Amino acid sequence: MTATRDTAPTAGHTSASTRPLLGAAIVSAPLWAAVSLTQAATREGFDLTRHPLSMLSNGDLGWLQITNFVLAGLLTAAGAVGLRRVLHGTPGGTWAPRLVLVHGAGMIAAGAFVMDPGHGFPYGTPSGAPEALSWHGYGHMAAGTIAFTALIAACYVLGHHFSRTGHRGAATASRVAGTALLVGNGWAMTGGQYGSLALAVGALTAMLWISAVAARYLRTT
């Protein structure tokens, strides 16, 4: 009798406190996508086929994308805590949330270290790549590499999780999302045509999948 009274409130409290954390993960990717794509469509001189979304952090309105990165990173980090709770004790339940947390930290760092302007953006910037990267340009590259690597790995670990728990459709979707980012990032890094567009598609696919996973567990928590 005593054990039941002691544990029941704790379980209810854990469930209630986990839901807002999962909600943060659900919101993070759609919010980042909406703010980024709206700017991509409206800011003068920006061309998604030539300019990565990170370049929006430059110019008079650059603070919007900087804030977007930081806010999305904080929401993702909070969501990682929620995922750790709901995935605890399951296959991949230790590493998937850790990788999502690293991705969130990388997003925050990507906002703090602004990508160098170039290729005609912001409007009036000389065409072509900058002659030399600044310290914050190198910082952004490092942050992006860490964030994307962690996100790709998180998708594959979640693929393992869903495969082991008998959810084949979700396992396939998770692996597809990770592969989309892996291919998009690789294509952009090699200087392939429309590489920035391929990177944007891959990154948004993987990020939105993490939000979808959080939504899946919010419904069952």
Side-chain angles (χ1 to χ4, degrees):
M1 296 291 290
T2 303
T4 302
R5 288 196 302 270
D6 290 342
T7 57
T10 302
H13 173 74
T14 300
S15 178
S17 63
T18 299
R19 294 178 68 84
L21 296 172
L22 293 174
I26 294 170
V27 170
S28 61
L31 176 63
W32 192 87
V35 173
S36 296
L37 295 178
T38 299
Q39 292 184 85
T42 58
R43 290 189 60 181
E44 185 178 12
F46 188 86
D47 182 355
L48 189 53
T49 65
R50 298 190 300 119
H51 304 132
L53 292 172
S54 292
M55 201 170 281
L56 290 166
S57 294
N58 289 285
D60 293 340
L61 294 177
W63 64 271
L64 284 171
Q65 190 67 348
I66 293 171
T67 303
N68 195 26
F69 267 113
V70 174
L71 180 57
L74 291 171
L75 290 171
T76 300
V81 177
L83 288 172
R84 178 178 62 83
R85 294 180 181 179
V86 297
L87 295 175
H88 179 71
T90 66
T94 297
W95 277 103
R98 289 178 180 176
L99 290 164
V100 172
L101 179 60
V102 172
H103 168 63
M107 291 283 286
I108 296 171
F113 299 106
V114 176
M115 185 178 187
D116 290 321
H119 301 284
F121 186 83
Y123 184 77
T125 300
S127 59
E131 294 183 1
L133 288 179
S134 65
W135 63 270
H136 52 82
Y138 279 113
H140 185 87
M141 288 183 61
T145 298
I146 292 170
F148 287 150
T149 301
L151 182 55
I152 292 167
C155 287
Y156 285 128
V157 173
L158 285 170
H160 168 73
H161 163 77
F162 286 121
S163 180
R164 289 286 302 276
T165 54
H167 300 92
R168 294 185 179 179
T172 299
S174 194
R175 289 163 180 150
V176 168
T179 302
L181 178 52
L182 179 64
V183 172
N185 188 45
W187 185 249
M189 292 295 290
T190 59
Q193 188 176 19
Y194 304 134
S196 59
L197 178 59
L199 175 59
V201 170
L204 291 174
T205 299
M207 291 171 66
L208 288 169
W209 174 245
I210 299 301
S211 291
V213 170
R216 180 189 185 99
Y217 280 102
L218 180 62
R219 292 193 300 268
T220 59
T221 300

